[in-house]
Amino acid sequence: QVQLVESGGGLVQAGGSLRLSCAASGRTVSSYALGWFRLAPGEEREFVAAINWSGGIKSYADSVKGRFTISKDNTKNTVYLQMNGLKPEDTAVYYCAAGNHIAQASGNYDYWGQGTQVTVSS
């Protein structure tokens, strides 16, 4: 199994930045694709970004493209989400997930973290 723990969320003003981290542990962690999703009140779970195990393939939602950057460090078994130019509409609980293939559909991911809250004030 894979265990995922998110960190780095917090309160920021619009235009600010945050860096989320997801520490992974378990068997064959580096063989998994990793994705970030978010859940806002009254909204459905939304895909944010994903990266394959080698880091050579990345995917972003249109709403965050150009502002967010996903990366990973296999030596630390950690995936990151650098969020710049934050907007109030980015407010949500952010979750990291692991799956066999990079994808935007949440059903492709088998393991999920507990989430970290990101709140952007205006």
Side-chain angles (χ1 to χ4, degrees):
Q1 295 185 345
V2 176
Q3 294 79 44
L4 304 171
V5 180
E6 302 96 332
S7 62
L11 299 169
V12 297
Q13 294 185 2
S17 298
L18 283 174
R19 189 194 194 200
L20 305 184
S21 298
C22 176
S25 62
R27 302 196 311 272
T28 63
V29 169
S30 63
S31 297
Y32 284 86
L34 295 165
W36 286 96
F37 293 80
R38 63 189 183 186
L39 181 63
E43 303 287 341
E44 294 185 335
R45 182 170 49 191
E46 178 187 22
F47 169 80
V48 177
I51 188 169
N52 73 327
W53 73 269
S54 69
I57 302 175
K58 300 177 181 180
S59 181
Y60 296 96
D62 289 340
S63 60
V64 306
K65 194 172 299 182
R67 298 187 297 122
F68 292 9
T69 302
I70 189 171
S71 62
K72 69 195 299 280
D73 185 345
N74 286 344
T75 65
K76 299 179 179 179
N77 294 323
T78 301
V79 62
Y80 305 96
L81 185 68
Q82 179 67 46
M83 305 186 296
N84 298 326
L86 284 164
K87 305 174 181 180
E89 51 262 44
D90 294 318
T91 295
V93 177
Y94 284 70
Y95 300 88
C96 65
N100 289 328
H101 304 284
I102 186 171
Q104 296 190 1
S106 61
N108 289 284
Y109 297 87
D110 301 311
Y111 305 98
W112 295 80
Q114 295 300 308
T116 184
Q117 177 71 48
V118 172
T119 302
V120 184
S121 64
S122 60

